[in-house]
Amino acid sequence: MTDTTSGPAGDERIKDVSPLRRMLIRPELGGICGTILVFILFGLIAGDSGMFAAEGVMNWTVVSAQFMVIAVGACLLMIAGEFDLSTGSMIGFSGVLMAILSVQMGWPLWLAILATFAFCIAIGALNGWLVIRTGLPSFIVTLAFLYILRGLTIWGSVYFTRQTIIGGVADRAQGDWLAPVFGGKILTGLFQWMGDAGWIATFTRGNRAGQPVVDGIPMLVVWALALVIFGHWLLTRTKFGNWVFASGGDAQAARYVGVPVNRVKILMFMFSAFCACVFSMCQVMEFGSAAADRGLLKEFEAIICVVIGGALLTGGYGSVIGAALGAVIFGVVQQGLFFANAESSLFRVFLGMILLIAVIMNTYIRRIITGER
């Protein structure tokens, strides 16, 4: 009796794949290995410095969340086959725009935030439309907007305030219903209980005596986790996620089978702008001010996180979980150097090294597994 379930001999589509092979071809492999190595390294050189106490954990968690928010948008866009080099400028632009609308023009803060999101997402749509309409590489189009937005940010700040930093946002946030969504904290009662129970350290003197050193989880961390969960679900559990992979893998072939490639790419540019705006709003609420120079080089840091996470620069392959692990690596290293009393400039050296190692390792392993040359 013929076994019809095994299919024709040599059929690549239904060939059995070993668990080891499946693990090695996962895009998250580099991020997982890098995360483990980084934690081992700093556990050895900074384990007794407070890095893994409650306050230290929160420090590198918040820094990781900053990278994570923008890495999710960059990841989905890169899988769709495009780049957004205007992310860093969008961070600075959106913060200054919101501050001008609320502080200088007197708009309610919630309305200024919503208007800023709408305007920045529209710019993201314009980026995508120009890429589709002109056929120019997204690298060129978004590089142009990197300069356009940064220039508008500095001009607008100086024009309205005669300086590049706009304060007063904290005062406008008092009593505003939308401000806590970006600048508040959650689980404050739980952390107070943990402090009272002696599970985490508390302040012993001053106005905050008896309060836990970590009094809640910042909304930036909540946003980061929510975006990672959403991005992973979108890519792995929805038809749209298949469209994203198809658009980046082979756009023309995807069009032949009915994938709305142009719409997918434009939506991913819009989502990238949305993530940059979330990052900016959380940052402005944290500092109570907007600055024209914020967001510098963030676009490259986001791309590095995504590449460490296993995404291909050519599109069609990648993982949001991998990009999130890349963000964790950055956060742990940046704060780990501080706790280890190392020179902070070494962080940039690490970025270049880990990018090169990740690309070489991902390429080498993929060639071994797939038989590519």
Side-chain angles (χ1 to χ4, degrees):
M1 182 175 179
T2 302
D3 183 4
T4 58
T5 61
S6 60
D11 192 334
E12 185 72 20
R13 296 169 299 175
I14 56 177
K15 181 174 66 175
D16 289 335
V17 179
S18 69
L20 177 61
R21 180 186 176 96
R22 283 198 298 269
M23 182 188 72
L24 290 177
I25 61 176
R26 292 295 303 169
E28 302 93 345
L29 177 64
I32 293 172
C33 295
T35 302
I36 294 172
L37 290 175
V38 162
F39 273 104
I40 292 175
L41 172 64
F42 285 100
L44 294 174
I45 67 176
D48 58 352
S49 64
M51 180 177 175
F52 297 101
E55 190 173 15
V57 170
M58 185 55 67
N59 284 341
W60 54 257
T61 297
V62 169
V63 175
S64 299
Q66 293 176 353
F67 291 116
M68 207 175 293
V69 166
I70 53 177
V72 173
C75 180
L76 292 176
L77 184 59
M78 284 179 61
I79 293 174
E82 307 293 346
F83 289 93
D84 186 357
L85 296 183
S86 67
T87 298
S89 295
M90 182 71 77
I91 290 170
F93 174 79
S94 56
V96 168
L97 176 60
M98 189 273 284
I100 289 173
L101 292 176
S102 60
V103 177
Q104 299 299 315
M105 302 183 67
W107 288 25
L109 188 66
W110 66 267
L111 183 59
I113 292 174
L114 295 179
T116 298
F117 268 98
F119 192 75
C120 291
I121 291 172
I123 293 175
L126 178 61
N127 269 332
W129 181 82
L130 286 173
V131 169
I132 299 299
R133 190 69 174 177
T134 64
L136 290 171
S138 55
F139 173 88
I140 299 298
V141 173
T142 58
L143 181 62
F145 270 90
L146 179 153
Y147 285 102
I148 291 170
L149 292 176
R150 186 64 68 183
L152 286 174
T153 302
I154 297 172
W155 173 84
S157 180
V158 172
Y159 178 82
F160 281 96
T161 68
R162 304 299 181 191
Q163 53 189 358
T164 57
I165 299 178
I166 304 176
V169 176
D171 295 333
R172 301 292 298 176
Q174 296 295 324
D176 188 271
W177 65 270
L178 191 55
V181 174
F182 299 97
K185 293 184 178 181
I186 65 170
L187 302 180
T188 54
L190 174 62
F191 280 86
Q192 182 63 58
W193 175 79
M194 292 170 66
D196 294 339
W199 291 8
I200 59 176
T202 58
F203 293 100
T204 58
R205 62 181 65 180
N207 297 340
R208 301 187 63 185
Q211 296 183 19
V213 293
V214 177
D215 58 355
I217 298 177
M219 287 305 298
L220 175 65
V221 177
V222 177
W223 272 106
L225 293 175
L227 287 171
V228 169
I229 293 171
F230 170 77
H232 180 70
W233 169 81
L234 184 74
L235 278 181
T236 61
R237 295 291 184 267
T238 69
K239 180 172 68 174
F240 187 85
N242 292 332
W243 289 356
V244 173
F245 282 111
S247 298
D250 190 332
Q252 195 57 47
R255 289 188 178 96
Y256 288 151
V257 296
V259 175
V261 173
N262 293 351
R263 191 201 322 166
V264 169
K265 290 179 180 285
I266 291 174
L267 285 173
M268 291 300 94
F269 275 106
M270 295 169 68
F271 185 67
S272 176
F274 173 82
C275 291
C277 220
V278 168
F279 179 100
S280 178
M281 295 303 105
C282 292
Q283 192 176 59
V284 169
M285 292 301 167
E286 178 185 358
F287 294 109
S289 64
D293 63 346
R294 286 188 186 150
L296 289 174
L297 299 180
K298 289 299 179 186
E299 57 276 344
F300 298 107
E301 292 172 354
I303 290 172
I304 294 173
C305 287
V306 177
V307 172
I308 291 174
L312 291 179
L313 296 175
T314 53
Y317 184 83
S319 163
V320 171
I321 300 298
L325 290 174
V328 171
I329 292 173
F330 279 11
V332 172
V333 169
Q334 189 178 77
Q335 293 301 295
L337 291 174
F338 169 78
F339 281 101
N341 293 318
E343 174 58 45
S344 61
S345 59
L346 291 176
F347 176 62
R348 299 297 175 188
V349 177
F350 172 81
L351 292 189
M353 292 178 59
I354 194 67
L355 173 62
L356 186 61
I357 293 171
V359 171
I360 292 174
M361 188 179 73
N362 289 341
T363 302
Y364 182 68
I365 291 177
R366 187 164 51 253
R367 285 177 177 176
I368 290 178
I369 298 301
T370 62
E372 296 177 3
R373 293 184 178 180

